mmCIF file of all heavy atoms in Angstrom:
data_model
loop_
_atom_site.group_PDB
_atom_site.id
_atom_site.type_symbol
_atom_site.label_atom_id
_atom_site.label_comp_id
_atom_site.label_asym_id
_atom_site.label_seq_id
_atom_site.Cartn_x
_atom_site.Cartn_y
_atom_site.Cartn_z
ATOM 1 N N VAL N 426 -11.889 -4.089 -8.975
ATOM 2 C CA VAL N 426 -12.565 -3.260 -7.994
ATOM 3 C C VAL N 426 -11.575 -2.869 -6.841
ATOM 4 O O VAL N 426 -11.401 -1.662 -6.536
ATOM 5 C CB VAL N 426 -13.784 -3.968 -7.390
ATOM 6 C CG1 VAL N 426 -14.454 -3.138 -6.325
ATOM 7 C CG2 VAL N 426 -14.787 -4.295 -8.527
ATOM 8 N N THR N 427 -10.984 -3.851 -6.214
ATOM 9 C CA THR N 427 -10.127 -3.573 -5.018
ATOM 10 C C THR N 427 -8.730 -3.131 -5.402
ATOM 11 O O THR N 427 -8.029 -2.561 -4.581
ATOM 12 C CB THR N 427 -10.004 -4.810 -4.150
ATOM 13 O OG1 THR N 427 -9.259 -5.836 -4.889
ATOM 14 C CG2 THR N 427 -11.348 -5.389 -3.712
ATOM 15 N N LYS N 428 -8.297 -3.395 -6.640
ATOM 16 C CA LYS N 428 -6.954 -3.093 -7.136
ATOM 17 C C LYS N 428 -5.878 -3.942 -6.471
ATOM 18 O O LYS N 428 -4.665 -3.665 -6.605
ATOM 19 C CB LYS N 428 -6.603 -1.614 -6.960
ATOM 20 C CG LYS N 428 -7.578 -0.622 -7.554
ATOM 21 C CD LYS N 428 -7.600 -0.676 -9.042
ATOM 22 C CE LYS N 428 -8.467 0.364 -9.676
ATOM 23 N NZ LYS N 428 -9.290 -0.095 -10.746
ATOM 24 N N LEU N 429 -6.288 -4.997 -5.749
ATOM 25 C CA LEU N 429 -5.306 -5.880 -5.107
ATOM 26 C C LEU N 429 -4.826 -6.935 -6.097
ATOM 27 O O LEU N 429 -5.519 -7.266 -7.055
ATOM 28 C CB LEU N 429 -5.921 -6.528 -3.875
ATOM 29 C CG LEU N 429 -6.401 -5.577 -2.797
ATOM 30 C CD1 LEU N 429 -7.017 -6.341 -1.618
ATOM 31 C CD2 LEU N 429 -5.305 -4.647 -2.298
ATOM 32 N N TYR N 430 -3.619 -7.474 -5.835
ATOM 33 C CA TYR N 430 -2.998 -8.407 -6.755
ATOM 34 C C TYR N 430 -3.091 -9.842 -6.264
ATOM 35 O O TYR N 430 -3.026 -10.106 -5.061
ATOM 36 C CB TYR N 430 -1.510 -8.063 -6.923
ATOM 37 C CG TYR N 430 -1.275 -6.802 -7.739
ATOM 38 C CD1 TYR N 430 -1.009 -5.596 -7.104
ATOM 39 C CD2 TYR N 430 -1.298 -6.837 -9.127
ATOM 40 C CE1 TYR N 430 -0.781 -4.445 -7.845
ATOM 41 C CE2 TYR N 430 -1.059 -5.696 -9.857
ATOM 42 C CZ TYR N 430 -0.806 -4.511 -9.200
ATOM 43 O OH TYR N 430 -0.566 -3.367 -9.931
ATOM 44 N N ASN N 431 -3.271 -10.797 -7.237
ATOM 45 C CA ASN N 431 -3.150 -12.213 -6.980
ATOM 46 C C ASN N 431 -2.021 -12.709 -7.844
ATOM 47 O O ASN N 431 -1.906 -12.320 -9.032
ATOM 48 C CB ASN N 431 -4.451 -12.957 -7.337
ATOM 49 C CG ASN N 431 -5.638 -12.423 -6.534
ATOM 50 O OD1 ASN N 431 -5.501 -12.130 -5.366
ATOM 51 N ND2 ASN N 431 -6.776 -12.290 -7.195
ATOM 52 N N VAL N 432 -1.202 -13.612 -7.307
ATOM 53 C CA VAL N 432 -0.038 -14.106 -8.102
ATOM 54 C C VAL N 432 0.049 -15.643 -8.028
ATOM 55 O O VAL N 432 -0.298 -16.272 -7.004
ATOM 56 C CB VAL N 432 1.280 -13.527 -7.601
ATOM 57 C CG1 VAL N 432 1.321 -12.018 -7.944
ATOM 58 C CG2 VAL N 432 1.519 -13.733 -6.154
ATOM 59 N N THR N 433 0.490 -16.249 -9.118
ATOM 60 C CA THR N 433 0.658 -17.716 -9.204
ATOM 61 C C THR N 433 1.919 -18.018 -10.026
ATOM 62 O O THR N 433 2.229 -17.326 -10.990
ATOM 63 C CB THR N 433 -0.549 -18.382 -9.907
ATOM 64 O OG1 THR N 433 -1.755 -18.014 -9.212
ATOM 65 C CG2 THR N 433 -0.443 -19.889 -9.914
ATOM 66 N N SER N 434 2.611 -19.040 -9.543
ATOM 67 C CA SER N 434 3.782 -19.490 -10.299
ATOM 68 C C SER N 434 3.697 -21.005 -10.383
ATOM 69 O O SER N 434 3.187 -21.675 -9.465
ATOM 70 C CB SER N 434 5.069 -19.069 -9.537
ATOM 71 O OG SER N 434 6.170 -19.552 -10.196
ATOM 72 N N LYS N 435 4.214 -21.575 -11.474
ATOM 73 C CA LYS N 435 4.166 -23.040 -11.661
ATOM 74 C C LYS N 435 5.583 -23.601 -11.729
ATOM 75 O O LYS N 435 6.509 -22.958 -12.157
ATOM 76 C CB LYS N 435 3.446 -23.376 -12.949
ATOM 77 C CG LYS N 435 1.950 -23.033 -12.858
ATOM 78 C CD LYS N 435 1.113 -23.688 -13.943
ATOM 79 C CE LYS N 435 -0.369 -23.564 -13.623
ATOM 80 N NZ LYS N 435 -1.047 -22.557 -14.418
ATOM 81 N N LEU N 436 5.680 -24.818 -11.245
ATOM 82 C CA LEU N 436 6.992 -25.542 -11.266
ATOM 83 C C LEU N 436 6.773 -26.914 -11.861
ATOM 84 O O LEU N 436 5.828 -27.629 -11.474
ATOM 85 C CB LEU N 436 7.525 -25.640 -9.823
ATOM 86 C CG LEU N 436 8.863 -26.364 -9.701
ATOM 87 C CD1 LEU N 436 10.007 -25.505 -10.230
ATOM 88 C CD2 LEU N 436 9.156 -26.751 -8.225
ATOM 89 N N ASN N 437 7.590 -27.270 -12.854
ATOM 90 C CA ASN N 437 7.494 -28.596 -13.481
ATOM 91 C C ASN N 437 8.902 -29.166 -13.534
ATOM 92 O O ASN N 437 9.735 -28.718 -14.318
ATOM 93 C CB ASN N 437 6.872 -28.447 -14.897
ATOM 94 C CG ASN N 437 6.505 -29.788 -15.453
ATOM 95 O OD1 ASN N 437 7.354 -30.508 -15.983
ATOM 96 N ND2 ASN N 437 5.254 -30.147 -15.386
ATOM 97 N N ILE N 438 9.187 -30.151 -12.680
ATOM 98 C CA ILE N 438 10.516 -30.731 -12.616
ATOM 99 C C ILE N 438 10.428 -32.249 -12.530
ATOM 100 O O ILE N 438 9.403 -32.808 -12.148
ATOM 101 C CB ILE N 438 11.294 -30.215 -11.377
ATOM 102 C CG1 ILE N 438 10.504 -30.491 -10.082
ATOM 103 C CG2 ILE N 438 11.659 -28.769 -11.499
ATOM 104 C CD1 ILE N 438 11.307 -30.313 -8.813
ATOM 105 N N PRO N 439 11.485 -32.969 -12.950
ATOM 106 C CA PRO N 439 11.481 -34.411 -12.771
ATOM 107 C C PRO N 439 11.293 -34.751 -11.273
ATOM 108 O O PRO N 439 11.759 -33.998 -10.430
ATOM 109 C CB PRO N 439 12.858 -34.848 -13.244
ATOM 110 C CG PRO N 439 13.341 -33.733 -14.139
ATOM 111 C CD PRO N 439 12.714 -32.488 -13.566
ATOM 112 N N VAL N 440 10.614 -35.847 -11.024
ATOM 113 C CA VAL N 440 10.419 -36.282 -9.611
ATOM 114 C C VAL N 440 11.815 -36.472 -8.973
ATOM 115 O O VAL N 440 12.650 -37.167 -9.529
ATOM 116 C CB VAL N 440 9.617 -37.592 -9.561
ATOM 117 C CG1 VAL N 440 9.591 -38.139 -8.153
ATOM 118 C CG2 VAL N 440 8.186 -37.373 -10.046
ATOM 119 N N PRO N 441 12.042 -35.777 -7.824
ATOM 120 C CA PRO N 441 13.337 -35.904 -7.179
ATOM 121 C C PRO N 441 13.639 -37.356 -6.827
ATOM 122 O O PRO N 441 12.790 -38.075 -6.306
ATOM 123 C CB PRO N 441 13.162 -35.085 -5.892
ATOM 124 C CG PRO N 441 11.999 -34.135 -6.142
ATOM 125 C CD PRO N 441 11.119 -34.901 -7.081
ATOM 126 N N THR N 442 14.895 -37.744 -7.144
ATOM 127 C CA THR N 442 15.294 -39.153 -6.876
ATOM 128 C C THR N 442 15.796 -39.291 -5.427
ATOM 129 O O THR N 442 15.763 -40.360 -4.830
ATOM 130 C CB THR N 442 16.396 -39.584 -7.836
ATOM 131 O OG1 THR N 442 17.428 -38.586 -7.803
ATOM 132 C CG2 THR N 442 15.862 -39.699 -9.265
ATOM 133 N N LYS N 443 16.241 -38.185 -4.869
ATOM 134 C CA LYS N 443 16.755 -38.222 -3.488
ATOM 135 C C LYS N 443 15.594 -37.889 -2.555
ATOM 136 O O LYS N 443 14.880 -36.914 -2.790
ATOM 137 C CB LYS N 443 17.873 -37.211 -3.312
ATOM 138 C CG LYS N 443 19.090 -37.475 -4.150
ATOM 139 C CD LYS N 443 20.044 -36.290 -4.103
ATOM 140 C CE LYS N 443 21.292 -36.584 -4.953
ATOM 141 N NZ LYS N 443 22.074 -35.391 -5.102
ATOM 142 N N SER N 444 15.407 -38.679 -1.541
ATOM 143 C CA SER N 444 14.361 -38.323 -0.603
ATOM 144 C C SER N 444 14.958 -38.322 0.793
ATOM 145 O O SER N 444 15.974 -38.996 1.038
ATOM 146 C CB SER N 444 13.206 -39.343 -0.677
ATOM 147 O OG SER N 444 13.655 -40.624 -0.363
ATOM 148 N N PRO N 445 14.397 -37.604 1.747
ATOM 149 C CA PRO N 445 13.239 -36.700 1.525
ATOM 150 C C PRO N 445 13.722 -35.392 0.900
ATOM 151 O O PRO N 445 14.791 -34.901 1.208
ATOM 152 C CB PRO N 445 12.738 -36.477 2.928
ATOM 153 C CG PRO N 445 13.936 -36.606 3.818
ATOM 154 C CD PRO N 445 14.838 -37.619 3.162
ATOM 155 N N THR N 446 12.889 -34.835 0.015
ATOM 156 C CA THR N 446 13.133 -33.541 -0.593
ATOM 157 C C THR N 446 12.027 -32.572 -0.137
ATOM 158 O O THR N 446 10.848 -32.947 -0.122
ATOM 159 C CB THR N 446 13.152 -33.647 -2.123
ATOM 160 O OG1 THR N 446 14.241 -34.475 -2.515
ATOM 161 C CG2 THR N 446 13.273 -32.286 -2.799
ATOM 162 N N ASN N 447 12.434 -31.405 0.239
ATOM 163 C CA ASN N 447 11.473 -30.349 0.661
ATOM 164 C C ASN N 447 11.390 -29.274 -0.383
ATOM 165 O O ASN N 447 12.426 -28.788 -0.866
ATOM 166 C CB ASN N 447 11.875 -29.743 1.983
ATOM 167 C CG ASN N 447 11.251 -30.478 3.157
ATOM 168 O OD1 ASN N 447 10.233 -31.125 3.014
ATOM 169 N ND2 ASN N 447 11.887 -30.423 4.324
ATOM 170 N N ILE N 448 10.181 -28.878 -0.772
ATOM 171 C CA ILE N 448 9.992 -27.826 -1.755
ATOM 172 C C ILE N 448 9.217 -26.691 -1.103
ATOM 173 O O ILE N 448 8.155 -26.915 -0.480
ATOM 174 C CB ILE N 448 9.268 -28.366 -3.006
ATOM 175 C CG1 ILE N 448 10.108 -29.454 -3.667
ATOM 176 C CG2 ILE N 448 9.007 -27.226 -4.013
ATOM 177 C CD1 ILE N 448 9.467 -30.160 -4.782
ATOM 178 N N ARG N 449 9.750 -25.480 -1.237
ATOM 179 C CA ARG N 449 9.055 -24.288 -0.736
ATOM 180 C C ARG N 449 8.996 -23.223 -1.827
ATOM 181 O O ARG N 449 9.799 -23.255 -2.768
ATOM 182 C CB ARG N 449 9.837 -23.679 0.469
ATOM 183 C CG ARG N 449 9.749 -24.475 1.756
ATOM 184 C CD ARG N 449 10.783 -24.065 2.760
ATOM 185 N NE ARG N 449 12.120 -24.274 2.252
ATOM 186 C CZ ARG N 449 13.179 -23.557 2.639
ATOM 187 N NH1 ARG N 449 13.033 -22.626 3.560
ATOM 188 N NH2 ARG N 449 14.382 -23.820 2.144
ATOM 189 N N CYS N 450 8.045 -22.332 -1.634
ATOM 190 C CA CYS N 450 8.025 -21.246 -2.615
ATOM 191 C C CYS N 450 8.056 -19.939 -1.836
ATOM 192 O O CYS N 450 7.520 -19.850 -0.728
ATOM 193 C CB CYS N 450 6.809 -21.428 -3.485
ATOM 194 S SG CYS N 450 5.576 -20.219 -3.467
ATOM 195 N N LEU N 451 8.766 -18.965 -2.420
ATOM 196 C CA LEU N 451 9.102 -17.718 -1.736
ATOM 197 C C LEU N 451 8.610 -16.566 -2.574
ATOM 198 O O LEU N 451 8.895 -16.455 -3.753
ATOM 199 C CB LEU N 451 10.589 -17.644 -1.598
ATOM 200 C CG LEU N 451 11.255 -16.745 -0.558
ATOM 201 C CD1 LEU N 451 10.800 -17.134 0.837
ATOM 202 C CD2 LEU N 451 12.763 -16.848 -0.648
ATOM 203 N N LEU N 452 7.774 -15.664 -1.954
ATOM 204 C CA LEU N 452 7.250 -14.496 -2.637
ATOM 205 C C LEU N 452 8.060 -13.276 -2.176
ATOM 206 O O LEU N 452 8.050 -12.930 -0.985
ATOM 207 C CB LEU N 452 5.774 -14.296 -2.327
ATOM 208 C CG LEU N 452 5.102 -13.097 -3.010
ATOM 209 C CD1 LEU N 452 5.064 -13.245 -4.530
ATOM 210 C CD2 LEU N 452 3.658 -12.914 -2.482
ATOM 211 N N HIS N 453 8.785 -12.626 -3.093
ATOM 212 C CA HIS N 453 9.591 -11.447 -2.782
ATOM 213 C C HIS N 453 8.758 -10.178 -2.995
ATOM 214 O O HIS N 453 8.257 -9.968 -4.079
ATOM 215 C CB HIS N 453 10.815 -11.395 -3.653
ATOM 216 C CG HIS N 453 11.673 -12.621 -3.540
ATOM 217 N ND1 HIS N 453 12.682 -12.748 -2.560
ATOM 218 C CD2 HIS N 453 11.703 -13.788 -4.242
ATOM 219 C CE1 HIS N 453 13.249 -13.938 -2.680
ATOM 220 N NE2 HIS N 453 12.684 -14.581 -3.657
ATOM 221 N N LEU N 454 8.575 -9.393 -1.934
ATOM 222 C CA LEU N 454 7.728 -8.209 -1.991
ATOM 223 C C LEU N 454 8.616 -6.985 -2.304
ATOM 224 O O LEU N 454 9.817 -6.987 -2.154
ATOM 225 C CB LEU N 454 7.008 -8.008 -0.660
ATOM 226 C CG LEU N 454 6.201 -9.225 -0.216
ATOM 227 C CD1 LEU N 454 5.667 -8.981 1.189
ATOM 228 C CD2 LEU N 454 5.052 -9.526 -1.159
ATOM 229 N N ARG N 455 7.914 -5.905 -2.710
ATOM 230 C CA ARG N 455 8.617 -4.642 -2.980
ATOM 231 C C ARG N 455 8.642 -3.745 -1.718
ATOM 232 O O ARG N 455 8.220 -4.175 -0.673
ATOM 233 C CB ARG N 455 7.903 -3.880 -4.098
ATOM 234 C CG ARG N 455 8.003 -4.558 -5.449
ATOM 235 C CD ARG N 455 7.358 -3.752 -6.547
ATOM 236 N NE ARG N 455 7.274 -4.556 -7.734
ATOM 237 C CZ ARG N 455 8.247 -4.686 -8.636
ATOM 238 N NH1 ARG N 455 9.403 -4.069 -8.440
ATOM 239 N NH2 ARG N 455 8.094 -5.449 -9.700
ATOM 240 N N GLU N 456 9.145 -2.532 -1.923
ATOM 241 C CA GLU N 456 9.120 -1.489 -0.853
ATOM 242 C C GLU N 456 9.777 -1.961 0.432
ATOM 243 O O GLU N 456 9.339 -1.633 1.519
ATOM 244 C CB GLU N 456 7.650 -1.109 -0.520
ATOM 245 C CG GLU N 456 6.780 -0.773 -1.723
ATOM 246 C CD GLU N 456 6.791 0.724 -2.079
ATOM 247 O OE1 GLU N 456 7.150 1.519 -1.202
ATOM 248 O OE2 GLU N 456 6.513 1.030 -3.221
ATOM 249 N N GLN N 457 10.815 -2.722 0.322
ATOM 250 C CA GLN N 457 11.567 -3.237 1.491
ATOM 251 C C GLN N 457 10.636 -3.990 2.468
ATOM 252 O O GLN N 457 10.758 -3.877 3.690
ATOM 253 C CB GLN N 457 12.278 -2.101 2.255
ATOM 254 C CG GLN N 457 13.469 -1.506 1.518
ATOM 255 C CD GLN N 457 13.046 -0.414 0.565
ATOM 256 O OE1 GLN N 457 12.284 0.469 0.918
ATOM 257 N NE2 GLN N 457 13.571 -0.443 -0.663
ATOM 258 N N LEU N 458 9.637 -4.688 1.918
ATOM 259 C CA LEU N 458 8.683 -5.385 2.767
ATOM 260 C C LEU N 458 9.083 -6.821 3.034
ATOM 261 O O LEU N 458 8.336 -7.592 3.649
ATOM 262 C CB LEU N 458 7.273 -5.364 2.130
ATOM 263 C CG LEU N 458 6.675 -3.968 1.997
ATOM 264 C CD1 LEU N 458 5.432 -3.994 1.177
ATOM 265 C CD2 LEU N 458 6.380 -3.357 3.371
ATOM 266 N N GLY N 459 10.243 -7.253 2.536
ATOM 267 C CA GLY N 459 10.739 -8.600 2.801
ATOM 268 C C GLY N 459 10.123 -9.653 1.904
ATOM 269 O O GLY N 459 9.805 -9.378 0.748
ATOM 270 N N SER N 460 9.916 -10.851 2.430
ATOM 271 C CA SER N 460 9.363 -11.928 1.610
ATOM 272 C C SER N 460 8.504 -12.858 2.460
ATOM 273 O O SER N 460 8.546 -12.846 3.696
ATOM 274 C CB SER N 460 10.470 -12.721 0.940
ATOM 275 O OG SER N 460 11.420 -13.140 1.890
ATOM 276 N N LEU N 461 7.674 -13.647 1.786
ATOM 277 C CA LEU N 461 6.770 -14.604 2.441
ATOM 278 C C LEU N 461 7.092 -15.999 1.915
ATOM 279 O O LEU N 461 7.363 -16.172 0.749
ATOM 280 C CB LEU N 461 5.304 -14.287 2.096
ATOM 281 C CG LEU N 461 4.745 -12.978 2.595
ATOM 282 C CD1 LEU N 461 3.354 -12.732 1.985
ATOM 283 C CD2 LEU N 461 4.632 -12.936 4.103
ATOM 284 N N VAL N 462 7.065 -16.973 2.817
ATOM 285 C CA VAL N 462 7.446 -18.324 2.415
ATOM 286 C C VAL N 462 6.297 -19.301 2.714
ATOM 287 O O VAL N 462 5.539 -19.149 3.665
ATOM 288 C CB VAL N 462 8.765 -18.790 3.138
ATOM 289 C CG1 VAL N 462 8.549 -18.922 4.620
ATOM 290 C CG2 VAL N 462 9.275 -20.071 2.492
ATOM 291 N N SER N 463 6.145 -20.269 1.819
ATOM 292 C CA SER N 463 5.063 -21.282 1.997
ATOM 293 C C SER N 463 5.461 -22.334 2.992
ATOM 294 O O SER N 463 6.628 -22.453 3.386
ATOM 295 C CB SER N 463 4.778 -21.957 0.656
ATOM 296 O OG SER N 463 5.908 -22.777 0.295
#
Side-chain angles (χ1 to χ4, degrees):
V426 178
T427 66
K428 306 291 185 224
L429 301 180
Y430 289 99
N431 301 320
V432 292
T433 303
S434 176
K435 292 196 168 103
L436 180 72
N437 191 279
I438 54 167
V440 171
T442 51
K443 297 169 179 170
S444 61
T446 295
N447 269 336
I448 299 174
R449 287 166 298 155
C450 119
L451 201 60
L452 180 64
H453 302 273
L454 306 173
R455 292 183 191 275
E456 310 269 339
Q457 291 85 48
L458 295 171
S460 52
L461 296 171
V462 66
S463 69

